[in-house]
Amino acid sequence: MKTKPVLLFLVDALGIDFINHQNMPYLSDLAKNHALKPMTPVLGYSDVQRASLFTGRYPQDIGYWTDFRMIPNSSPLKPFSRLSFLDYIPSDFIRRVIKYFLAKTLSPIQARMTGYDELPLYNIPLRVIQHFQPSLKKSMFDKEPFQSIPTIFDLCRQHEQEFAVVRSDVFGLRHMFSKASSVAKLVSKEVLKVNPNVKLLYVYLHTIDMLGHRYGIRSNKFKDVLLDADQAIKTIVEAARERLGQSLEVAIVSDHGMNHTQEFIDYTYLLKQPGFGKDYIVALDSTMVRLWYFTESAKHRIHSLVEESQHGTFLTPKELSQLGVHFTNSDYYQEVYLLRPGLSIFPNYHSYLKPLAMHAYHPKFKDQTAVAFFIGPELERLTERAQKLNIIDIMPILKKVLGFNKSTYANHQQS
Ligand SMILES: [Zn+2]
């Protein structure tokens, strides 16, 4: 039997709470007529949600979690540690501006020299940058980014089926903060240009995430963001149907919801304790403090200091393992301190601007819940019984619809 083409449409930060008739009439109607499933994300940021979505595996199985890993003194970003004096500029804002400038000028050169697709600097202190490196050398759409664990795109290659990738976040800085309706035009234009024989079309829309962080999810502006994104999704799905035919099977999924930030937590004092960069290292994500210790005394001292902040909890090995983020090495952490919802770490190593809403809290919280919509007889048949999905459930469903079930990667199948 000839398989039908599939649209996998990832809408970043489309939380289940956002879908109602007022804010998102198109999706809300789809929810009435077709299967809308709540979906649990993995613990972490958007990159790892995508990794789990594309592979159908937990982070600990693919060896990938956060976009930066810590391996002492082996970073391709090492030359930037010579600029560590910039860390001592008193204004945090000016520091971030300078780093942004470096990331746009010197980083691309260094990336080319070291064989990386890109080398973002973010807001990592330059005095420890020699220890942090991008966790992936290439894009997740390239061949075998996770070595033996195939992505859905690897399976397309293996089965000699065409796939296409169209993303809204590649149209330059001007469009990073644009409304969905303006990027939808650009995205639809690309969609209408893909090879009409593609079996899998992946589309990514970044606007809800970007503008949710920027305006916060309780602002009136955010309602417009949702309404606008809702129409953009409709436009893009219609463009995909126009290009790939009415038999297109459509999966619209998100990677997490959003939580309103009530208070910003400043942990920069952790970067000023004696021994930082030598006896211990800290990574400040927006919702997590990741720690590595090189001496027992630093471990005792810094662990207590973090614990005293009382903003969250240290995750136990059992919890980490249940969350699918317990690794055999310490590239991602030795300890993880996870914040409570409502709290957001700023300054952190990622954000250039203060995010007024955040994600990557414990996936058990309802506002972190993502969604999956399935439109099309094959997808609906396969998912009709599922009450609730996990983000790792999507890839096996896609595999079935695409007829990739007899994969030669069978030895990696999850038991
Ligand atoms: Zn985000």
Side-chain angles (χ1 to χ4, degrees):
M1 193 185 76
K2 202 168 173 287
T3 57
K4 291 174 182 168
V6 177
L7 167 65
L8 172 63
F9 192 162
L10 174 60
V11 182
D12 202 325
L14 176 61
I16 196 155
D17 298 344
F18 300 156
I19 299 163
N20 59 50
H21 189 70
Q22 227 178 3
N23 294 339
M24 306 198 96
Y26 171 67
L27 289 182
S28 148
D29 276 356
L30 282 184
K32 274 183 226 145
N33 302 328
H34 302 277
L36 159 65
K37 313 282 180 187
M39 188 162 73
T40 307
V42 291
L43 174 66
Y45 299 89
S46 290
D47 288 284
V48 75
Q49 308 299 349
R50 283 192 281 268
S52 287
L53 179 68
F54 298 158
T55 58
R57 306 293 292 265
Y58 278 110
Q60 64 199 13
D61 302 323
I62 48 182
Y64 175 82
W65 191 28
T66 52
D67 54 358
F68 271 80
R69 57 175 99 204
M70 198 288 293
I71 305 174
N73 266 314
S74 54
S75 173
L77 292 161
K78 207 169 174 175
F80 290 94
S81 62
R82 278 185 234 132
L83 304 173
S84 59
F85 61 90
L86 294 172
D87 285 347
Y88 301 96
I89 295 172
S91 159
D92 178 58
F93 179 73
I94 292 174
R95 282 201 306 271
R96 277 180 279 138
V97 169
I98 293 174
K99 277 181 202 163
Y100 181 78
F101 174 75
L102 288 172
K104 289 282 160 200
T105 53
L106 295 180
S107 285
I109 301 170
Q110 181 66 5
R112 269 199 298 282
M113 282 163 59
T114 50
Y116 281 77
D117 269 5
E118 48 180 358
L119 282 177
L121 291 173
Y122 297 120
N123 197 22
I124 300 173
L126 293 166
R127 59 198 189 280
V128 291
I129 205 150
Q130 66 275 27
H131 307 306
F132 288 100
Q133 56 184 275
S135 303
L136 287 182
K137 234 177 168 171
K138 49 189 176 181
S139 136
M140 286 184 205
F141 307 106
D142 285 336
K143 205 171 168 222
E144 297 171 358
F146 306 110
Q147 286 89 39
S148 64
I149 308 291
T151 63
I152 190 74
F153 309 106
D154 286 324
L155 293 187
C156 285
R157 288 186 192 94
Q158 191 201 341
H159 290 265
E160 296 177 341
Q161 297 290 347
E162 292 255 2
F163 69 88
V165 172
V166 179
R167 291 165 46 189
S168 67
D169 60 341
V170 296
F171 299 111
L173 189 63
R174 194 162 67 88
H175 290 290
M176 276 321 265
F177 294 99
S178 290
K179 285 167 71 175
S181 47
S182 5
V183 291
K185 286 189 194 120
L186 300 166
V187 168
S188 301
K189 218 169 136 190
E190 292 301 310
V191 165
L192 291 169
K193 280 195 283 190
V194 301
N195 179 337
N197 296 322
V198 302
K199 274 287 167 214
L200 175 65
L201 169 62
Y202 168 75
V203 174
Y204 171 71
L205 185 68
H206 76 281
T207 54
I208 299 177
D209 183 68
M210 185 58 97
L211 300 174
H213 287 308
R214 190 167 177 212
Y215 300 140
I217 53 171
R218 292 189 182 170
S219 72
N220 274 332
K221 272 188 177 171
F222 189 65
K223 289 197 178 113
D224 295 337
V225 168
L226 291 178
L227 193 60
D228 191 58
D230 185 63
Q231 289 309 301
I233 294 166
K234 185 177 177 207
T235 307
I236 294 166
V237 170
E238 280 168 4
R241 285 213 175 98
E242 187 182 331
R243 189 62 176 169
L244 300 177
Q246 295 301 318
S247 69
L248 186 69
E249 297 269 331
V250 178
I252 303 171
V253 302
S254 67
D255 47 358
H256 50 75
M258 282 275 203
N259 172 260
H260 170 70
T261 303
Q262 282 160 348
E263 190 186 346
F264 290 99
I265 308 299
D266 186 347
Y267 274 119
T268 47
Y269 61 90
L270 295 174
L271 318 181
K272 292 171 187 156
Q273 303 299 313
F276 175 61
K278 198 163 73 67
D279 300 336
Y280 74 98
I281 292 180
V282 174
L284 298 178
D285 305 321
S286 334
T287 59
M288 294 188 276
V289 183
R290 290 180 289 133
L291 299 128
W292 296 263
Y293 312 107
F294 304 111
T295 66
E296 273 308 307
S297 72
K299 181 173 180 174
H300 183 74
R301 192 161 46 92
I302 303 300
H303 177 100
S304 308
L305 205 54
V306 174
E307 198 152 51
E308 279 161 19
S309 74
Q310 296 188 3
H311 295 309
T313 45
F314 277 102
L315 296 175
T316 64
K318 192 178 164 201
E319 285 170 313
L320 288 159
S321 164
Q322 283 165 346
L323 289 164
V325 295
H326 194 236
F327 297 90
T328 48
N329 60 38
S330 56
D331 289 5
Y332 294 104
Y333 60 81
Q334 277 177 12
E335 284 194 307
V336 182
Y337 187 76
L338 178 63
L339 262 61
R340 287 191 298 279
L343 308 180
S344 178
I345 300 174
F346 193 87
N348 61 55
Y349 285 10
H350 260 267
S351 317
Y352 284 114
L353 302 168
K354 240 179 198 178
L356 301 184
M358 240 316 137
H359 46 89
Y361 297 97
H362 197 295
K364 73 182 176 192
F365 293 109
K366 170 131 191 298
D367 62 6
Q368 301 298 291
T369 304
V371 291
F373 288 91
F374 299 104
I375 309 137
E378 285 298 303
L379 282 170
E380 284 170 42
R381 185 179 57 81
L382 287 165
T383 55
E384 64 187 353
R385 290 211 187 138
Q387 294 294 316
K388 190 164 188 179
L389 293 169
N390 195 300
I391 202 158
I392 63 164
D393 296 331
I394 298 294
M395 148 72 150
I397 295 169
L398 296 178
K399 260 169 69 178
K400 278 190 194 144
V401 178
L402 291 164
F404 294 167
N405 252 9
K406 292 179 196 77
S407 161
T408 55
Y409 286 99
N411 52 329
H412 297 297
Q413 293 283 303
Q414 208 176 6
S415 50

